[in-house]
Amino acid sequence: MPKAAKTPRATSPSDAPESAAGTRAAAQRLKMRRELATAAMELFATKGYEATTVDEIAAAAGVARRTFFRHFRSKEEAIFPDHDDTLVRAEAVLNAAPPHEHPLDTVCRGIKEVMKMYAGSPAVSVERYRLTREVPTLREREIASVARYERLFTRYLLGHFDERDHHDGNDDPLLAEVAASAVVTAHNHVLRRWLRAGGEGDVEAQLDHAFAIVRETFGSGIGARPAPAGSTAVPAEPAPEAPAATASTTGDVVVAVARTDAPLDEVMRTIQQALTKP
């Protein structure tokens, strides 16, 4: 009896090998970028930045000149191989934030992706920091990279406000920009301190401490919205007014404290009451 022909299994897009191939290609691309970056930094350290050519970097990495330019537009770009991918990861953190999370907490989690990038290779990060301090072109490139993160976080925080609602008394857009700058500044302060220490120490704990300060300073304003129209919000009760004068006895001594505008008869009455207390 002839065997029945097998019906081919239907394939869905998720079964296709393209996604796995894409992942492998991305990993290979990142690996090559890091190898070029390592070669560049070694040459910068031994020959100097100005004396190093793109051809020498490519040769040190074992690739052709055209391969270098498939990954980087210039030699100064070569020592920052991870910033593009890190920016994507930071943005993914923002996009996947749970709705109940405070937006400032989300931004702090997002920028931790940047710190992970540096902390993942302490020796490389320390050497890169040394080079950027010595070469103005590299320092400018680093500043431009930091500005991209700051713009990302500012846009995210502004997304929690009505950006068109610019009127007297509405400081939300200003607060969002200042808070985003504060998060980036706190991160950079901790990062520089860690790099100057040779990449030693618990940088994550230091970062959490810095973020706690930012949250304490800006957290009450970011994300706070006025009560909707027609709501019956209960106003907070005013704090009780401090007495005009107080007096207490300590042994044979009476200590009186009074406001400068306190009526004299009230001050005297307070002292007399303190004297007559058993």
Side-chain angles (χ1 to χ4, degrees):
M1 176 183 289
K3 294 182 179 180
K6 293 183 179 180
T7 303
R9 184 175 66 89
T11 59
S12 64
S14 60
D15 295 326
E18 282 79 1
S19 58
T23 301
R24 285 195 300 271
Q28 291 171 353
R29 173 180 173 274
L30 184 57
K31 180 175 180 291
M32 175 52 63
R33 284 170 64 87
R34 288 176 174 171
E35 289 176 356
L36 287 166
T38 300
M41 282 194 292
E42 289 175 352
L43 286 168
F44 292 163
T46 55
K47 292 192 61 177
Y49 172 77
E50 296 295 342
T52 300
T53 66
V54 168
D55 288 334
E56 289 171 329
I57 296 172
V63 298
R65 173 187 174 92
R66 63 179 179 275
T67 301
F68 176 93
F69 284 112
R70 279 205 295 266
H71 294 278
F72 300 109
R73 290 171 294 184
S74 60
K75 65 179 183 180
E76 62 264 22
E77 228 182 56
I79 69 165
F80 301 103
D82 298 334
H83 274 307
D84 289 344
D85 295 309
T86 302
L87 190 69
V88 170
R89 290 199 305 274
E91 188 169 14
V93 170
L94 304 185
N95 293 338
H100 60 79
E101 186 174 44
H102 194 292
L104 198 54
D105 289 335
T106 305
V107 168
C108 289
R109 287 198 303 109
I111 203 170
K112 276 190 173 183
E113 294 298 321
V114 185
M115 185 61 80
K116 289 177 185 177
M117 176 192 72
Y118 285 95
S121 303
V124 173
S125 297
V126 170
E127 178 60 20
R128 181 162 56 190
Y129 176 72
R130 186 189 66 79
L131 285 169
T132 56
R133 301 284 71 76
E134 294 177 355
V135 182
T137 305
L138 299 180
R139 186 160 58 249
E140 291 169 6
R141 173 69 62 178
E142 183 184 40
I143 291 171
S145 298
V146 170
R148 294 169 66 196
Y149 296 115
E150 191 165 335
R151 287 194 297 271
L152 171 67
F153 299 133
T154 300
R155 285 197 306 269
Y156 179 78
L157 291 177
L158 282 172
H160 291 264
F161 309 111
D162 184 353
E163 296 182 57
R164 298 163 297 178
D165 190 17
H166 292 276
H167 58 76
D168 291 342
N170 178 24
D171 295 327
D172 283 352
L174 170 64
L175 186 59
E177 291 196 37
V178 171
S181 298
V183 170
V184 174
T185 300
H187 169 273
N188 293 344
H189 174 84
V190 171
L191 176 60
R192 282 193 300 270
R193 188 168 58 189
W194 178 73
L195 292 170
R196 288 169 184 163
E200 300 290 336
D202 189 348
V203 70
E204 185 171 354
Q206 297 172 28
L207 196 61
D208 287 338
H209 174 70
F211 286 162
I213 295 173
V214 174
R215 289 189 192 97
E216 182 178 352
T217 304
F218 297 101
S220 60
I222 290 290
R225 297 182 181 274
S231 64
T232 55
V234 179
E237 295 183 3
E241 185 178 357
T246 59
S248 60
T249 58
T250 304
D252 296 331
V253 179
V254 176
V255 179
V257 179
R259 297 202 309 262
T260 56
D261 61 346
L264 181 59
D265 58 342
E266 185 173 346
V267 176
M268 296 305 296
R269 185 168 58 251
T270 303
I271 295 173
Q272 184 176 11
Q273 291 173 351
L275 287 170
T276 57
K277 282 184 177 178

